[in-house]
Amino acid sequence: MAPDTTVLYDRRGPVAQVTMNRPEYRNAQNSAMTYALDEAFYRAAADDDVGVVVLAGAGEHFSAGHDIGTPERDAHLSFERRAGLWWDHADKAGAERRFARESEVYLGMCRRWRELPKPLVASIQGACVAGGLTLAWVCDLIVASDDAFFSDPVVRMGIPGVEYFAHPWVMPPRVAKELLFTGDRMSARRAYEVGMVNRVVPRAELADATRDMAERVARMPRLGLALAKRAVNQAEDLQGLHAGLDSVFGLHHLAHAHNAETTADPLGGMDVRRMKES
Ligand code: ZN
């Protein structure tokens, strides 16, 4: 079997870089990629020589979101589950199938990655859409290039936002509503203004700027960083993030179920082409 290159892992000094590597599909996340990311984060967590982890996307775009239409779309397949104790989705039907799968590969994994006890720095260029946002949002720091844009257009599918519903915690609620209600792209500059990203740099400087930030943070003591990260994450949870994610996950699945009852599929008949045209 050919080596799995869906996600690349590379350590230089105290910085491990984890790179999504499906550039021909704008790094659309299939389950194979999700599990490969999970593997990479475990590896970085366990390696005492790694102080900080960078998450990047190969090619022109960070991530166009979850895979809803590439030839390697693998939502129907079983994987060895890791994020929770929900049973395998592959031989189940209806809402049970969707809830079990998304609890594992979307909400469960994102939640766990947010708790990686080392700082995670996102390096974002081009598209950061829907499922791409969730990967950016589980990172502690975000460096974006000036051509980056952020959007969650899934309201077009009748769905109230992507599975990891951190929107009103990572930006002001009224801005979150605008992002969701219009499906419009938020520019890197605007994302900076509302406090969603830490730095905006020219595209050509993105890799170096991300690395500079990661190396600077990596000079801090390991336990200090882990505790500081936990302190801020706990504050977000006290502000309702953890419970909010659970409650909106239920609304998200109500929408999938409504679509499945009233249209051809749980995505409301939307595919990549229709999403682009609408
Ligand atoms: Zn979903």
Side-chain angles (χ1 to χ4, degrees), residues 70-203:
T70 82
E72 289 95 43
R73 188 181 188 205
D74 54 9
H76 57 295
L77 297 181
S78 296
F79 286 78
E80 196 179 333
R81 299 178 313 286
R82 296 185 60 147
L85 286 170
W86 271 96
W87 46 77
D88 187 18
H89 71 286
D91 60 347
K92 305 301 184 294
E96 179 181 10
R97 178 187 177 95
R98 286 187 298 272
F99 199 86
R101 176 170 184 270
E102 296 198 349
S103 293
E104 161 78 7
V105 296
Y106 296 153
L107 182 59
M109 293 232 192
C110 283
R111 245 187 192 154
R112 209 179 46 207
W113 299 339
R114 173 177 174 256
E115 291 174 9
L116 176 78
K118 297 178 179 179
L120 190 48
V121 183
S123 180
I124 297 181
Q125 78 284 13
C128 181
V129 175
L133 290 175
T134 72
L135 288 185
W137 291 344
V138 300
C139 292
D140 303 295
L141 301 170
I142 300 178
V143 182
S145 64
D146 49 12
D147 68 343
F149 63 88
F150 304 85
S151 71
D152 189 0
V154 305
V155 178
R156 282 188 199 124
M157 300 172 169
I159 297 172
V162 75
E163 289 82 0
Y164 184 88
F165 192 82
H167 310 55
W169 283 270
V170 298
M171 66 187 81
R174 210 172 300 284
V175 178
K177 286 177 180 167
E178 183 184 342
L179 186 87
L180 289 162
F181 293 178
T182 65
D184 285 350
R185 295 176 173 188
M186 179 190 285
S187 68
R189 178 57 50 190
R190 175 81 168 139
Y192 176 79
E193 286 168 3
V194 302
M196 197 177 90
V197 310
N198 297 88
R199 301 263 191 287
V200 180
V201 299
R203 177 77 174 82

Side-chain angles (χ1 to χ4, degrees), residues 183-260:
D184 285 350
R185 295 176 173 188
M186 179 190 285
S187 68
R189 178 57 50 190
R190 175 81 168 139
Y192 176 79
E193 286 168 3
V194 302
M196 197 177 90
V197 310
N198 297 88
R199 301 263 191 287
V200 180
V201 299
R203 177 77 174 82
E205 296 169 21
L206 178 64
D208 286 346
T210 307
R211 188 157 186 91
D212 285 351
M213 179 173 279
E215 284 178 349
R216 189 165 166 213
V217 172
R219 291 201 284 270
M220 289 288 194
R222 177 173 62 220
L223 183 61
L225 287 171
L227 298 179
K229 171 167 179 166
R230 195 159 180 81
V232 178
N233 283 6
Q234 283 175 175
E236 287 182 304
D237 288 338
L238 289 167
Q239 291 160 355
L241 174 60
H242 195 275
L245 290 172
D246 278 333
S247 67
V248 183
F249 194 64
L251 299 179
H252 180 97
H253 277 271
L254 171 65
H256 275 318
H258 177 74
N259 283 342

